[in-house]
Amino acid sequence: MSSCIFCRIAAGEAPADVVYQDDRAVALRDRHPRAPVHILVIPRRHIANLLALLDEDEALVGHLLGVANRVARDAGVAESGFRVVANVNRDAGQSVDHLHFHVLGGRPMGWPPG
Ligand code: AMP
């Protein structure tokens, strides 16, 4: 069994509140939400973070962002606004080493992020 929690969720081996899935991506609610809507969009395949993407992953990244749009619309925050965030490595606060896009919405957000 993989030690990566997001690989285990994608494989159905760990519990998650999944809001969307297809053959390449899974979207699940963050277990410690930082906004009224806080959904994580992950690839099924293990990719450590944005830096680990290969040239051939271009279409996959486009697909993941399409899923981000979709879950934002489904959650009702497309019109009010939402933020898509990918934390990469220590200074950005990446805590799970499996690529994920945070989709945050449902409240006004400050800029720049802390
Ligand atoms: P990051 O800090 O950018 O790597 O984001 C990782 C996110 O994953 C955090 O917001 C965590 O709350 C969330 N997280 C970690 N484990 C789980 C889990 N098992 N189910 C849902 N969200 C998780």
Side-chain angles (χ1 to χ4, degrees):
M1 187 185 284
S2 171
S3 61
C4 169
I5 182 61
F6 287 176
C7 282
R8 290 172 54 207
I9 287 171
E13 296 169 355
D17 187 354
V18 171
V19 297
Y20 173 83
Q21 59 182 316
D22 60 31
D23 59 329
R24 286 179 287 170
V26 178
L28 59 139
R29 292 195 192 282
D30 196 293
R31 70 174 173 183
H32 298 304
R34 303 302 183 108
V37 173
H38 189 172
I39 294 167
L40 304 171
V41 179
I42 67 173
R44 284 193 183 276
R45 201 180 95 227
H46 186 83
I47 299 172
N49 61 32
L50 286 177
L51 285 170
L53 287 168
L54 305 173
D55 287 349
E56 54 263 38
D57 293 327
E58 209 170 284
L60 174 63
V61 174
H63 180 67
L64 295 172
L65 292 174
V67 172
N69 278 342
R70 178 187 182 124
V71 298
R73 282 196 194 94
D74 289 350
V77 296
E79 290 304 316
S80 52
F82 64 99
R83 187 169 287 172
V84 179
V85 175
N87 293 319
V88 180
N89 284 342
R90 187 188 57 234
D91 277 0
Q94 183 178 2
S95 61
V96 177
D97 291 333
H98 181 127
L99 177 63
H100 49 283
F101 290 105
H102 297 257
V103 177
L104 297 144
R107 64 166 172 80
M109 275 171 255
W111 188 262

